[in-house]
Amino acid sequence: LRTQREYGDFLLKVQVKLEIPGNSGIQFRSHQQNGNGRVFGYQCEIDPSARAWSAGIYDEGRRGWLFPLDKKPDAQRAYRAGEWNEFVIEAVGPRIRTWLNGIACADLVDTADMRGFIALQVHSGKEGRIRWRNIRLRDLG
């Protein structure tokens, strides 16, 4: 599920609940390749695994992890399994920040993509059921 228009500077808040855990994420400032339709761009990870990198930033389809949470133990503890979790993504110019349940997680400066679509993603695992609610998007110009 994705936006039709592209966003550059924005503030996105969304609540997420994994009823059956699986790998998911929120794509932003993203694009699709012509031909095969593969999505690439920034992804705010939703990671219920023991690794606990929820709200870390991954570059889907290109460079891999840009801001893993391995050195941020407070951020790694922010995800609450089986409950509603609030993800916040703020992108202003080259700075991208994320929060999970009020805990600061990623803080990245990167200029690879300054605008693109936003999408709710479910992308791996044989099972997984994810619910989304209270999606609020503010275009910051």
Side-chain angles (χ1 to χ4, degrees):
L1 181 62
R2 61 166 273 197
T3 60
Q4 291 187 355
R5 66 174 277 225
E6 293 188 344
Y7 292 85
D9 295 352
F10 66 88
L11 179 67
L12 174 69
K13 295 180 180 183
V14 59
Q15 292 178 328
V16 176
K17 182 177 183 180
L18 296 178
E19 290 184 341
I20 299 175
N23 191 294
S24 259
I26 303 162
Q27 289 290 139
F28 61 97
R29 289 186 174 176
S30 292
H31 310 276
Q32 277 188 293
Q33 291 176 349
N34 293 332
N36 67 5
R38 179 158 168 73
V39 171
F40 62 95
Y42 300 114
Q43 175 187 303
C44 177
E45 183 76 1
I46 302 171
D47 180 12
S49 76
R51 178 180 65 180
W53 286 1
S54 286
I57 299 175
Y58 185 79
D59 188 10
E60 180 73 32
R62 293 186 299 199
R63 300 172 288 169
W65 281 101
L66 302 177
F67 203 106
L69 299 181
D70 52 337
K71 294 179 175 62
K72 297 203 66 169
D74 288 345
Q76 287 180 288
R77 289 189 294 271
Y79 180 79
R80 299 186 301 250
E83 297 181 32
W84 287 101
N85 291 273
E86 183 174 65
F87 287 80
V88 176
I89 304 168
E90 179 187 65
V92 178
R95 188 175 188 193
I96 300 166
R97 297 187 298 168
T98 66
W99 292 264
L100 175 56
N101 296 321
I103 305 295
C105 295
D107 191 343
L108 173 71
V109 174
D110 190 78
T111 59
D113 293 298
M114 298 299 288
R115 62 184 307 102
F117 63 75
I118 297 170
L120 308 179
Q121 178 190 49
V122 178
H123 70 85
S124 79
K126 294 182 180 182
E127 290 188 351
R129 185 177 321 145
I130 186 166
R131 297 179 69 189
W132 312 85
R133 74 177 186 189
N134 297 327
I135 301 167
R136 296 158 327 267
L137 175 60
R138 181 183 311 157
D139 188 342
L140 299 177

